[in-house]
Amino acid sequence: MMTHLKVREIIGENCITSDDGQKIYDLVHPEMQAQHPVELDFSEVKIFASPFLNAAIGQLLRDTPPDDLNSYLKINNLLPVMRPVLKRVIENAKAYYGDEKNRQAVDEALNNKAAEE
Amino acid sequence: MRITIRPNVNDDTEDFDYLFGLLHQVKDRPSELELNFSKCVFLRQNAVAFLGGFIRLAQTFAQVKVSVNQHGKIHFGDEKVRKNLERNGFLKTLGLPCGEADSGNSISYREDRTRQQDAFTHYLREDWLGRGWVHVTDTLKSFIISPMLEAYINVFDHADSLIGVVSCGQHYPIRKELKLTLIDFGVGIPFTVREYLKKPDMKASDALQWAFQPGATTKIGPLTRGLGLKELKRFVKTNQGKLEIYSDRGYVCIDHTREDFRDRITQFKGTVVQITLNCDEQLYTTDNEFDTDESWF
C-alpha cells in the first residue's frame, strides 16, 4: 500500500529551509529503506528552495540506490518551473553521494580550485 | 559627530564606495551621531537600505539623531527624497516624522532582525513581483523568488549580522527595471569561505568565485550543497537582468554578457546582494521550464 504524503499539509505552502526538508526526509527515508512505495505530493506548494530539496530528497541518495528511488518514490504535482531545479539537486546529490571516493573528490576539487586561485 | 549625506547616491560602484565609507567614518564608535539630509536630492533603493542598516548599526553604540528643523520635520534637499522615504516606509520604520503616502514605485524598506521566511516570501511575492510591473505567472514568480529567499536565509545561517538584513526596492518605469537590494552588516562571504577552506589569504574575488561553483557551500553537515547563487545566476542570464554582490573587498557583476569577479579597494564587511530584473515580459522564461522527464533518479 502506497503512503501518500501531502507536503502542503506537513510543511505549508513555502518549502524553503533544510529543517523543513529534514521533516520530509524523516518520513520518506524509513519507507525507502523498507522498500515501501511513497507518493510525495507537492500540490498547493508555492515556493521551493534548494536547501529544502537537498534535505528532503537529495539526501535520500546517501544510502538509497537510484533504482530503488525510481521504483518506490513518486514525486507528483511539482510546479513545472521547479522541475529543472529538482533535477539539478538530484544530479548534484548523485555526484556527491555516489560513493565515498567521489564525495572526497568533490571536496578536494573544490578545495584545490580555491588553493589554485 | 555629524554626517551630511551627499546630494546624489546612485547604485554604481562609486556610490557603494561612498556608502561603505560612512562605516569607516564611525569606526571609532562616536557616542553621538547626527545624520543630516539637507543636501540630499536623490537616493536609490540601495542607499535607502544601506542608510537604514547604518542607522540601526550606529544605534548599537551611539545616540543617533536625524536632523530635524524647528517644526519637527526632517529637512531634505529635495521634497522628492522626503516623499520617496515616506513612500517606501523608511521614515516610519525608523520612527522618524512622516505622513501617510501611497507606495508609488517603491518596494518597501524592510528590516528583519530574525529569520521570518514566510513574511519575507510574502514581501517578495506581493511587494516586489506582485505589483504588475512584471507580467509573470504565479509559478514563474515562485521560481524567481526561490533563490532570493536563499540569499535571505543565508544571512541568518552564515552572516552573523548584528542587525539582520535590510532590504528595499524600486521600480524604474522609464528604464523598465525592477531593483531589489538586500544588505547585511555581518562578516561577509569571503570571511566565511576563508574560514571554511582554511585559506586566510584567499582573495575576496576568488572566495566569491568559489561560492558560485556548483556544489560549493560553507555549510558543514551531511547534506548536499547549496544551489542558490547558481540558480540566481542562471535566471538573470536568461532574463537579461543583472546580479551584483559586494562583500568584503569582492565584487561580482553577472549579466547575460559577462561574469565579472573583481577585488576592490573599498572594503565592506557585510554583503550586498542587488538584483535588477528586466521588465520586458518576453524575457521571463526559464531555460528549460517545460522539462517533463519522468525519471527523477
Side-chain angles (χ1 to χ4, degrees):
Chain A
M1 186 180 160
M2 183 175 284
T3 303
H4 179 258
L5 296 176
K6 192 149 195 262
V7 176
R8 169 74 172 79
E9 286 170 4
I10 301 165
I11 306 297
E13 64 179 25
N14 301 324
C15 294
I16 300 159
T17 65
S18 54
D19 291 346
D20 282 342
Q22 186 69 35
K23 289 177 193 163
I24 298 296
Y25 172 84
D26 289 342
L27 294 169
V28 173
H29 182 248
E31 301 298 329
M32 292 299 104
Q33 294 299 295
Q35 299 193 325
H36 292 157
V38 171
E39 182 195 2
L40 211 44
D41 180 356
F42 284 99
S43 56
E44 299 172 54
V45 174
K46 291 182 178 171
I47 304 283
F48 299 88
S50 63
F52 171 85
L53 295 171
N54 278 328
I57 297 174
Q59 194 182 183
L60 292 168
L61 284 149
R62 184 165 46 196
D63 58 5
T64 313
D67 287 347
D68 282 5
L69 291 169
N70 277 327
S71 300
Y72 299 112
L73 181 60
K74 300 297 168 206
I75 296 170
N76 290 333
N77 300 315
L78 189 68
L79 290 174
V81 289
M82 292 308 296
R83 295 178 68 89
V85 179
L86 179 56
K87 268 287 188 193
R88 286 192 281 274
V89 163
I90 290 170
E91 290 309 314
N92 196 30
K94 279 169 89 170
Y96 191 67
Y97 294 125
D99 57 54
E100 189 57 28
K101 274 187 190 166
N102 198 358
R103 187 152 126 192
Q104 284 171 1
V106 171
D107 287 339
E108 273 175 30
L110 287 169
N111 289 346
N112 289 342
K113 174 102 170 94
E116 285 165 16
E117 291 163 355
Chain B
M1 180 178 190
R2 184 182 203 197
I3 293 177
T4 300
I5 304 300
R6 76 181 194 186
N8 287 285
V9 190
N10 214 306
D11 63 355
D12 294 325
T13 50
E14 184 273 327
D15 299 284
F16 277 101
D17 285 342
Y18 166 73
L19 292 168
F20 300 156
L22 297 179
L23 283 172
H24 293 279
Q25 287 190 48
V26 298
K27 69 177 187 308
D28 293 334
R29 301 192 160 216
S31 57
E32 288 187 11
L33 176 66
E34 181 186 339
L35 278 187
N36 185 315
F37 285 84
S38 63
K39 303 261 188 277
C40 186
V41 296
F42 184 78
L43 288 175
R44 272 194 189 255
Q45 81 293 327
N46 58 307
V48 176
F50 190 92
L51 289 171
F54 176 73
I55 289 171
R56 291 305 191 201
L57 193 68
Q59 282 174 336
T60 64
F61 56 80
Q63 182 91 22
V64 180
K65 192 172 108 181
V66 177
S67 303
V68 293
N69 68 14
Q70 58 184 344
H71 305 295
K73 291 191 173 173
I74 303 170
H75 178 69
F76 292 95
D78 192 307
E79 172 66 8
K80 281 188 295 188
V81 175
R82 189 196 61 76
K83 194 76 182 167
N84 185 34
L85 294 178
E86 208 163 64
R87 282 180 156 158
N88 61 31
F90 177 89
L91 297 178
K92 192 173 181 180
T93 305
L94 287 157
L96 299 168
C98 64
E100 293 298 322
D102 64 84
S103 55
N105 286 318
S106 298
I107 298 156
S108 313
Y109 168 77
R110 181 183 167 89
E111 299 175 348
D112 291 74
R113 293 276 175 116
T114 56
R115 193 170 81 182
Q116 302 174 70
Q117 70 251 15
D118 287 342
F120 199 75
T121 301
H122 186 267
Y123 172 71
L124 294 175
R125 180 179 282 281
E126 303 302 329
D127 211 5
W128 183 42
L129 296 179
R131 308 270 290 277
W133 295 322
V134 291
H135 300 282
V136 293
T137 61
D138 275 353
T139 54
L140 199 48
K141 266 187 207 169
S142 301
F143 181 84
I144 301 167
I145 287 169
S146 293
M148 290 305 284
L149 270 173
E150 281 197 56
Y152 169 82
I153 289 169
N154 276 340
V155 173
F156 300 100
D157 283 350
H158 299 291
D160 196 20
S161 172
L162 200 57
I163 58 120
V165 61
V166 286
S167 21
C168 190
Q170 185 76 24
H171 175 226
Y172 298 96
I174 294 170
R175 299 160 68 111
K176 293 187 177 172
E177 286 179 348
L178 186 57
K179 287 180 180 262
L180 186 70
T181 308
L182 272 61
I183 304 177
D184 74 67
F185 289 69
V187 296
I189 296 170
F191 175 85
T192 315
V193 171
R194 287 178 191 128
E195 288 276 300
Y196 176 75
L197 295 174
K198 299 184 175 56
K199 310 274 184 202
D201 300 326
M202 191 178 197
K203 285 197 294 184
S205 60
D206 291 341
L208 289 175
Q209 202 157 12
W210 182 89
F212 271 88
Q213 288 181 75
T217 182
T218 57
K219 189 137 186 168
I220 296 165
L223 296 179
T224 43
R225 292 142 181 264
L227 291 168
L229 287 176
K230 279 68 74 178
E231 294 298 333
L232 206 51
K233 182 174 90 171
R234 289 172 76 94
F235 177 73
V236 296
K237 278 176 167 280
T238 306
N239 296 282
Q240 298 182 24
K242 186 159 78 169
L243 171 64
E244 291 167 283
I245 295 177
Y246 296 79
S247 196
D248 198 323
R249 293 188 196 278
Y251 170 66
V252 184
C253 180
I254 292 174
D255 61 24
H256 69 292
T257 61
R258 65 185 162 146
E259 288 183 27
D260 186 13
F261 293 81
R262 262 189 272 161
D263 283 294
R264 307 182 68 251
I265 293 168
T266 315
Q267 185 179 31
F268 170 54
K269 285 195 169 180
T271 300
V272 176
V273 176
Q274 180 161 278
I275 185 165
T276 303
L277 299 183
N278 191 323
C279 294
D280 184 345
E281 62 189 281
Q282 290 179 352
L283 297 171
Y284 279 81
T285 179
T286 61
D287 47 0
N288 46 1
E289 184 174 345
F290 301 107
D291 179 1
T292 54
D293 185 355
E294 286 300 325
S295 178
W296 283 107
F297 299 93

